[in-house]
Amino acid sequence: MSAVGHLKHEYDKVKVRLHGLLTRMEMAWMKLVSELEPKEFEAIITLLKRGHDQAQYVLKHGELPDDEPAVPWELAHGLSILRIGNATPLPQSTDQLQTRVLKDGTLLGCRKWELLDLLWSEALLKWIENLRHHATFGTDPAMVKMERDVTLAIAGDWGTGPFNSHAPAVSVANQMQLANADFTIHLGDVYYAGTHSQEDTDMAGWPMGTHGSFTLNSNHEMYSGAHGYFKELAQRFPGQQGTSYFAMYNDDWLIVALDTAYASDVMNLYMDGTLNQPQIEWMKGLPKRKKLMVLSHHQGFDITGHHKTALYQPVCDALGREPDYWYWGHLHNGIVYATQGGLHARCAGHGAIPYGVTSQLDGHPRVLFSETRNAQDPSYPLRVLNGYAKVRLVGEEIFEEFIGEDGSVRWKS
């Protein structure tokens, strides 16, 4: 098949998928409306309106006002798709909107995975369908013993699957495989909505560690009520014992991996990290080690590292101290923060979603590294390198590297 023929075939598949998606969304919305209390209904309408207005504002002005709290972009097309009011449809193709990079590195455009990709509406659909239906929370966390010399490969927001022949997820997985890590850890996000079929397809290429692999819960998994996520644990990550949090330890290090999504606010689409009581009690009883690392999907700092999030203090309180290192995803970006207090914070959420240069981090004193090297991707000309973090622990020492999809070492400690 010629390149033009292949593109037409892919476009036709997307059209069919969108038609089915929009029909299902209308049906799910009608069902949900019949179940909702009036206040809940009004709250959702308000959210959808904010999402639409946010997109309109950014299209017109280039960025959101600094004092305006953002809402998830998965809501952007909701008003027009559900035919609520007389909302003006947003751009839906590259003919209507040429991609541009916002200051946080996200790509405002209509291509796959960009902010106005219509298929993000599947996350909205699954959120509507599962607003009241969540999987049972597992409470049998694994305690995994590590060797004194151990290598971890960590990637967040990786679950796009091989969406084209040169998908960043495939390149990043290949590089992770070359690391020959003892353990590989996914910090969460399987797209679009963490359904069972998406978990099964997108995580099929996850590079397994020689001694084990793990995956965390996230906002996108929660859109499907985490049903697909917990099924995936049983199928591909049995070492987690059906539980979305776990710990790894040796004589020097304790690594605490958390589920910050399950208890997050459903009406904010699980965007802010939260701990539930079973995890807090478990964290309080964990063994003490000289070195402490936390892994989570949601972040402990805002993107600039200037403000702590609402997740930060509860984590420290439950552990009885500030971690020495904290790796998170959620932000589709690769960022190394300067040490604050005793904490070395890292964002490794650049596993697969296309993103661009994050201009708001340029020259920022609290940022040691953020990715700026162009990926030379003809499908996404503004995209910078995706990648992962390779971490080696030897006794109390730690050696960190951020490795690009091309195999280059982009930063090391």
Side-chain angles (χ1 to χ4, degrees), residues 18 33 53 61 76 124 126 131 145 153-155 163 179 200 219 239 292 307 353 362 372-373 381 393 406-407 411:
L18 274 172
V33 167
D53 290 350
H61 299 282
L124 175 58
K126 300 310 292 186
L131 201 64
K145 193 169 191 316
I154 302 169
F163 62 90
D200 194 46
N219 54 306
L292 176 62
H307 300 289
I353 293 287
D362 186 26
T372 58
R373 180 180 291 179
L393 309 177
D406 60 356
W411 176 87

Side-chain angles (χ1 to χ4, degrees), residues 263-285:
S264 184
D265 181 5
V266 63
M267 293 305 291
N268 194 35
L269 278 71
Y270 314 101
M271 290 298 286
D272 298 322
T274 308
L275 295 176
N276 57 7
Q277 201 59 37
Q279 284 185 97
I280 291 172
E281 296 305 318
W282 170 75
M283 292 164 72
K284 289 179 178 178

Side-chain angles (χ1 to χ4, degrees), residues 2 32-33 43 97 109 128 146 169 215 226 247 323 369 376 408:
S2 68
L32 182 68
V33 167
L97 176 65
I128 289 171
M146 306 181 295
T215 188
F369 165 80
Q376 303 299 313
S408 61

Side-chain angles (χ1 to χ4, degrees), residues 331-336 347-350 355 358 361 367 369-371 385 402:
L331 307 174
H332 301 153
N333 225 305
I335 307 169
V336 177
C347 176
H350 62 321
Y355 71 109
T358 308
L361 301 184
V367 174
F369 165 80
S370 65
E371 186 56 78
L385 290 175
F402 270 56

Side-chain angles (χ1 to χ4, degrees), residues 25 27 31 33 41-42 51 55 58 105 110 113 138 188 217 235 243 255 302 304 307 362 372-373 388 394 406:
M25 184 172 290
M27 293 173 62
K31 182 177 184 295
V33 167
F41 177 78
E42 289 301 323
V58 174
C110 301
W113 309 123
N217 194 14
Q235 178 179 325
T243 303
I255 300 175
D302 73 335
T304 67
H307 300 289
D362 186 26
T372 58
R373 180 180 291 179
Y388 79 100
V394 184
D406 60 356

Side-chain angles (χ1 to χ4, degrees), residues 140-148 150-152 182-185 209-215 237-243 245-257 282 286-287 289 295 393:
D140 183 27
M143 290 288 294
V144 180
K145 193 169 191 316
M146 306 181 295
E147 297 295 331
R148 187 173 184 273
V150 61
T151 298
L152 315 174
D182 296 287
F183 298 96
T184 59
I185 302 164
T210 58
H211 288 87
S213 293
F214 304 91
T215 188
F237 301 92
Q240 283 184 233
Q241 302 175 178
T243 303
Y245 57 101
F246 60 91
M248 306 168 69
Y249 69 97
N250 59 24
D251 290 341
D252 303 292
W253 285 86
L254 174 67
I255 300 175
V256 183
W282 170 75
L286 287 171
R289 293 293 186 269
L295 307 174
L393 309 177

Side-chain angles (χ1 to χ4, degrees), residues 99-117:
T99 300
R100 58 183 189 251
V101 184
L102 301 186
K103 65 182 180 181
D104 65 355
T106 52
L107 299 181
L108 179 62
C110 301
R111 293 184 177 92
K112 193 172 180 66
W113 309 123
E114 294 179 341
L115 290 176
L116 292 180
D117 174 3

